[in-house]
PDB file of all heavy atoms in Angstrom:
ATOM      1  N   TYR A 104      74.023 104.890 108.509  1.00  0.00           N
ATOM      2  CA  TYR A 104      75.247 104.854 107.706  1.00  0.00           C
ATOM      3  C   TYR A 104      75.034 103.905 106.546  1.00  0.00           C
ATOM      4  O   TYR A 104      74.588 102.777 106.764  1.00  0.00           O
ATOM      5  CB  TYR A 104      76.447 104.412 108.582  1.00  0.00           C
ATOM      6  CG  TYR A 104      77.780 104.797 108.045  1.00  0.00           C
ATOM      7  CD1 TYR A 104      78.207 106.102 108.036  1.00  0.00           C
ATOM      8  CD2 TYR A 104      78.627 103.826 107.529  1.00  0.00           C
ATOM      9  CE1 TYR A 104      79.438 106.459 107.559  1.00  0.00           C
ATOM     10  CE2 TYR A 104      79.871 104.158 107.023  1.00  0.00           C
ATOM     11  CZ  TYR A 104      80.277 105.490 107.054  1.00  0.00           C
ATOM     12  OH  TYR A 104      81.507 105.845 106.542  1.00  0.00           O
ATOM     13  N   LEU A 106      76.412 102.343 102.715  1.00  0.00           N
ATOM     14  CA  LEU A 106      77.608 102.070 101.918  1.00  0.00           C
ATOM     15  C   LEU A 106      77.255 101.444 100.575  1.00  0.00           C
ATOM     16  O   LEU A 106      76.229 100.761 100.466  1.00  0.00           O
ATOM     17  CB  LEU A 106      78.520 101.091 102.676  1.00  0.00           C
ATOM     18  CG  LEU A 106      78.913 101.431 104.104  1.00  0.00           C
ATOM     19  CD1 LEU A 106      77.909 100.830 105.088  1.00  0.00           C
ATOM     20  CD2 LEU A 106      80.278 100.876 104.430  1.00  0.00           C
ATOM     21  N   ALA A 113      83.561  86.205  91.021  1.00  0.00           N
ATOM     22  CA  ALA A 113      84.594  85.417  91.669  1.00  0.00           C
ATOM     23  C   ALA A 113      85.538  86.286  92.565  1.00  0.00           C
ATOM     24  O   ALA A 113      86.642  85.824  92.871  1.00  0.00           O
ATOM     25  CB  ALA A 113      85.436  84.657  90.661  1.00  0.00           C
ATOM     26  N   GLY A 115      85.622  89.189  96.087  1.00  0.00           N
ATOM     27  CA  GLY A 115      84.849  89.715  97.215  1.00  0.00           C
ATOM     28  C   GLY A 115      84.393  91.134  96.930  1.00  0.00           C
ATOM     29  O   GLY A 115      84.907  91.804  96.040  1.00  0.00           O
ATOM     30  N   ARG A 165      73.873 100.224 108.014  1.00  0.00           N
ATOM     31  CA  ARG A 165      73.982  99.800 109.419  1.00  0.00           C
ATOM     32  C   ARG A 165      73.479 100.901 110.324  1.00  0.00           C
ATOM     33  O   ARG A 165      73.335 102.053 109.942  1.00  0.00           O
ATOM     34  CB  ARG A 165      75.398  99.404 109.759  1.00  0.00           C
ATOM     35  CG  ARG A 165      76.398 100.522 109.670  1.00  0.00           C
ATOM     36  CD  ARG A 165      77.705 100.071 110.298  1.00  0.00           C
ATOM     37  NE  ARG A 165      78.792 100.892 109.823  1.00  0.00           N
ATOM     38  CZ  ARG A 165      79.828 100.415 109.114  1.00  0.00           C
ATOM     39  NH1 ARG A 165      79.922  99.151 108.829  1.00  0.00           N
ATOM     40  NH2 ARG A 165      80.774 101.258 108.740  1.00  0.00           N
ATOM     41  N   TYR A 170      78.481  96.973 113.770  1.00  0.00           N
ATOM     42  CA  TYR A 170      79.333  96.433 112.725  1.00  0.00           C
ATOM     43  C   TYR A 170      78.544  95.619 111.714  1.00  0.00           C
ATOM     44  O   TYR A 170      79.023  95.333 110.634  1.00  0.00           O
ATOM     45  CB  TYR A 170      80.417  95.540 113.331  1.00  0.00           C
ATOM     46  CG  TYR A 170      79.855  94.652 114.436  1.00  0.00           C
ATOM     47  CD1 TYR A 170      79.218  93.484 114.108  1.00  0.00           C
ATOM     48  CD2 TYR A 170      79.901  95.069 115.731  1.00  0.00           C
ATOM     49  CE1 TYR A 170      78.666  92.681 115.096  1.00  0.00           C
ATOM     50  CE2 TYR A 170      79.362  94.269 116.743  1.00  0.00           C
ATOM     51  CZ  TYR A 170      78.732  93.082 116.418  1.00  0.00           C
ATOM     52  OH  TYR A 170      78.151  92.320 117.416  1.00  0.00           O
ATOM     53  N   GLN A 171      77.339  95.172 112.087  1.00  0.00           N
ATOM     54  CA  GLN A 171      76.581  94.337 111.170  1.00  0.00           C
ATOM     55  C   GLN A 171      76.059  95.149 110.014  1.00  0.00           C
ATOM     56  O   GLN A 171      75.307  96.126 110.186  1.00  0.00           O
ATOM     57  CB  GLN A 171      75.390  93.694 111.896  1.00  0.00           C
ATOM     58  CG  GLN A 171      75.743  92.576 112.812  1.00  0.00           C
ATOM     59  CD  GLN A 171      74.499  91.796 113.220  1.00  0.00           C
ATOM     60  OE1 GLN A 171      73.539  91.686 112.479  1.00  0.00           O
ATOM     61  NE2 GLN A 171      74.527  91.259 114.426  1.00  0.00           N
ATOM     62  N   LEU A 172      76.432  94.707 108.815  1.00  0.00           N
ATOM     63  CA  LEU A 172      75.931  95.363 107.614  1.00  0.00           C
ATOM     64  C   LEU A 172      74.700  94.598 107.131  1.00  0.00           C
ATOM     65  O   LEU A 172      74.727  93.365 107.078  1.00  0.00           O
ATOM     66  CB  LEU A 172      77.013  95.347 106.520  1.00  0.00           C
ATOM     67  CG  LEU A 172      78.183  96.293 106.705  1.00  0.00           C
ATOM     68  CD1 LEU A 172      79.237  96.028 105.659  1.00  0.00           C
ATOM     69  CD2 LEU A 172      77.728  97.730 106.656  1.00  0.00           C
ATOM     70  N   TRP A 174      72.505  94.000 103.841  1.00  0.00           N
ATOM     71  CA  TRP A 174      72.780  94.158 102.406  1.00  0.00           C
ATOM     72  C   TRP A 174      71.517  94.025 101.562  1.00  0.00           C
ATOM     73  O   TRP A 174      70.608  93.270 101.857  1.00  0.00           O
ATOM     74  CB  TRP A 174      73.757  93.063 101.957  1.00  0.00           C
ATOM     75  CG  TRP A 174      75.102  93.146 102.582  1.00  0.00           C
ATOM     76  CD1 TRP A 174      75.423  92.889 103.874  1.00  0.00           C
ATOM     77  CD2 TRP A 174      76.354  93.457 101.939  1.00  0.00           C
ATOM     78  NE1 TRP A 174      76.756  93.053 104.102  1.00  0.00           N
ATOM     79  CE2 TRP A 174      77.373  93.373 102.909  1.00  0.00           C
ATOM     80  CE3 TRP A 174      76.678  93.791 100.621  1.00  0.00           C
ATOM     81  CZ2 TRP A 174      78.704  93.636 102.617  1.00  0.00           C
ATOM     82  CZ3 TRP A 174      78.036  94.052 100.321  1.00  0.00           C
ATOM     83  CH2 TRP A 174      79.013  93.978 101.326  1.00  0.00           C
ATOM     84  N   GLY A 175      71.523  94.798 100.459  1.00  0.00           N
ATOM     85  CA  GLY A 175      70.538  94.576  99.420  1.00  0.00           C
ATOM     86  C   GLY A 175      70.982  93.405  98.567  1.00  0.00           C
ATOM     87  O   GLY A 175      72.086  92.864  98.714  1.00  0.00           O
TER      88      GLY A 175
ATOM     89  N   ARG B  33      89.210  78.380  97.480  1.00  0.00           N
ATOM     90  CA  ARG B  33      88.306  79.256  96.713  1.00  0.00           C
ATOM     91  C   ARG B  33      87.014  78.513  96.361  1.00  0.00           C
ATOM     92  O   ARG B  33      85.945  79.104  96.311  1.00  0.00           O
ATOM     93  CB  ARG B  33      89.006  79.745  95.446  1.00  0.00           C
ATOM     94  CG  ARG B  33      90.155  80.681  95.701  1.00  0.00           C
ATOM     95  CD  ARG B  33      89.690  82.014  96.246  1.00  0.00           C
ATOM     96  NE  ARG B  33      88.663  82.655  95.402  1.00  0.00           N
ATOM     97  CZ  ARG B  33      88.869  83.341  94.310  1.00  0.00           C
ATOM     98  NH1 ARG B  33      90.122  83.531  93.874  1.00  0.00           N
ATOM     99  NH2 ARG B  33      87.884  83.902  93.662  1.00  0.00           N
ATOM    100  N   TYR B  59      80.338  86.311 106.362  1.00  0.00           N
ATOM    101  CA  TYR B  59      79.070  86.570 105.703  1.00  0.00           C
ATOM    102  C   TYR B  59      78.778  85.403 104.733  1.00  0.00           C
ATOM    103  O   TYR B  59      79.705  84.790 104.197  1.00  0.00           O
ATOM    104  CB  TYR B  59      79.105  87.874 104.878  1.00  0.00           C
ATOM    105  CG  TYR B  59      79.029  89.144 105.706  1.00  0.00           C
ATOM    106  CD1 TYR B  59      80.148  89.676 106.323  1.00  0.00           C
ATOM    107  CD2 TYR B  59      77.811  89.821 105.866  1.00  0.00           C
ATOM    108  CE1 TYR B  59      80.072  90.839 107.062  1.00  0.00           C
ATOM    109  CE2 TYR B  59      77.741  90.983 106.605  1.00  0.00           C
ATOM    110  CZ  TYR B  59      78.877  91.481 107.200  1.00  0.00           C
ATOM    111  OH  TYR B  59      78.784  92.646 107.952  1.00  0.00           O
ATOM    112  N   GLY B  66      71.671  89.178  98.662  1.00  0.00           N
ATOM    113  CA  GLY B  66      72.779  89.929  99.226  1.00  0.00           C
ATOM    114  C   GLY B  66      73.490  89.121 100.301  1.00  0.00           C
ATOM    115  O   GLY B  66      73.060  88.019 100.638  1.00  0.00           O
ATOM    116  N   ASP B  80      79.839  87.947 118.437  1.00  0.00           N
ATOM    117  CA  ASP B  80      78.441  87.959 118.045  1.00  0.00           C
ATOM    118  C   ASP B  80      78.212  86.869 117.002  1.00  0.00           C
ATOM    119  O   ASP B  80      78.802  86.924 115.949  1.00  0.00           O
ATOM    120  CB  ASP B  80      78.087  89.350 117.453  1.00  0.00           C
ATOM    121  CG  ASP B  80      76.619  89.446 117.008  1.00  0.00           C
ATOM    122  OD1 ASP B  80      75.864  88.449 117.066  1.00  0.00           O
ATOM    123  OD2 ASP B  80      76.220  90.571 116.583  1.00  0.00           O
ATOM    124  N   SER B  82      74.973  85.926 116.197  1.00  0.00           N
ATOM    125  CA  SER B  82      73.536  85.983 116.047  1.00  0.00           C
ATOM    126  C   SER B  82      73.058  85.608 114.651  1.00  0.00           C
ATOM    127  O   SER B  82      71.918  85.218 114.496  1.00  0.00           O
ATOM    128  CB  SER B  82      73.030  87.380 116.402  1.00  0.00           C
ATOM    129  OG  SER B  82      73.635  88.339 115.559  1.00  0.00           O
ATOM    130  N   ALA B 123      84.494  97.446 113.198  1.00  0.00           N
ATOM    131  CA  ALA B 123      83.972  98.076 111.989  1.00  0.00           C
ATOM    132  C   ALA B 123      82.703  98.846 112.338  1.00  0.00           C
ATOM    133  O   ALA B 123      81.849  98.367 113.065  1.00  0.00           O
ATOM    134  CB  ALA B 123      83.700  97.041 110.916  1.00  0.00           C
ATOM    135  N   GLY B 125      80.953 103.136 111.509  1.00  0.00           N
ATOM    136  CA  GLY B 125      81.303 104.525 111.263  1.00  0.00           C
ATOM    137  C   GLY B 125      82.279 104.611 110.109  1.00  0.00           C
ATOM    138  O   GLY B 125      82.007 104.108 109.038  1.00  0.00           O
ATOM    139  N   GLU B 128      85.983 100.676 107.925  1.00  0.00           N
ATOM    140  CA  GLU B 128      85.371  99.701 107.094  1.00  0.00           C
ATOM    141  C   GLU B 128      86.127  98.374 107.183  1.00  0.00           C
ATOM    142  O   GLU B 128      87.288  98.313 107.502  1.00  0.00           O
ATOM    143  CB  GLU B 128      85.360 100.182 105.640  1.00  0.00           C
ATOM    144  CG  GLU B 128      84.580 101.470 105.412  1.00  0.00           C
ATOM    145  CD  GLU B 128      83.171 101.403 106.005  1.00  0.00           C
ATOM    146  OE1 GLU B 128      82.616 100.299 106.098  1.00  0.00           O
ATOM    147  OE2 GLU B 128      82.634 102.461 106.362  1.00  0.00           O
ATOM    148  N   GLY B 132      87.550  89.282 101.732  1.00  0.00           N
ATOM    149  CA  GLY B 132      88.277  88.303 100.935  1.00  0.00           C
ATOM    150  C   GLY B 132      87.533  87.928  99.692  1.00  0.00           C
ATOM    151  O   GLY B 132      86.427  88.439  99.441  1.00  0.00           O
TER     152      GLY B 132
END
Side-chain angles (χ1 to χ4, degrees):
Chain A
Y104 200 71
L106 307 91
R165 64 169 160 242
Y170 43 82
Q171 285 194 31
L172 288 172
W174 296 69
Chain B
R33 292 292 307 277
Y59 285 82
D80 180 356
S82 59
E128 299 309 332

